[in-house]
Amino acid sequence: MSSVFSKQHKVIYHLHEYQHDSTNESYGGQAAQKLGISENRVFKTLVVSIDNKALAVAIIPVSAMLSMKLIAKAYSGKKAIMAVKIDVERSTGYVLGGGSPLGQKKRLRTFIDATAKQFTTIFVSAGKRGLEIELSPYDLANITQATMADICQ
């Protein structure tokens, strides 16, 4: 299924639905397996707290680990830690494991790992478990006003 994201952004995307297994806690890994694609092209959405003052979004491949040092540096902060669940759900409007970089309640400063640039399209959560959206990493950066940076270990 191919659609235009919105009249404002004019982004072409594809939605991919799969049967989510609630016993599998590797949501991104499960998406890659069920959709038959590399884990390097499926990106997870993480929310971090920078200097205990601000929340930021990190979009990284499910096959990678976020570097707290690099995300803090990209934000021009000193220290980053994973954000508290209640703060994540309150600011994004999504439950953990189903968070999308798109359509968040509050726009947070967003960073996409630079490895995304090597792909024509990447997959990110479309806002619920079992639903991924495939789009250009540059379109994702434009829509979310994200910065591409090296943020993985």
Side-chain angles (χ1 to χ4, degrees), residues 55-126:
L55 297 179
V57 173
I59 303 169
I60 67 169
V62 299
S63 59
M65 296 234 355
L66 179 64
S67 166
M68 294 301 176
K69 185 178 181 178
L70 292 176
I71 188 71
K73 182 179 176 184
Y75 194 95
S76 297
K78 294 182 178 168
K79 183 179 178 187
I81 59 171
M82 292 304 296
V84 177
K85 177 183 175 181
I86 189 86
D87 292 339
V88 173
E89 292 179 349
R90 215 179 268 149
S91 66
T92 66
Y94 293 113
V95 297
L96 288 184
S100 175
L102 304 166
Q104 295 180 354
K105 269 174 54 174
K106 181 179 178 189
R107 183 180 294 260
L108 300 175
R109 199 156 158 212
T110 301
F111 300 87
I112 301 171
D113 187 63
T115 59
K117 293 191 248 183
Q118 67 185 302
F119 303 109
T120 305
T121 61
I122 61 171
F123 295 72
V124 295
S125 173

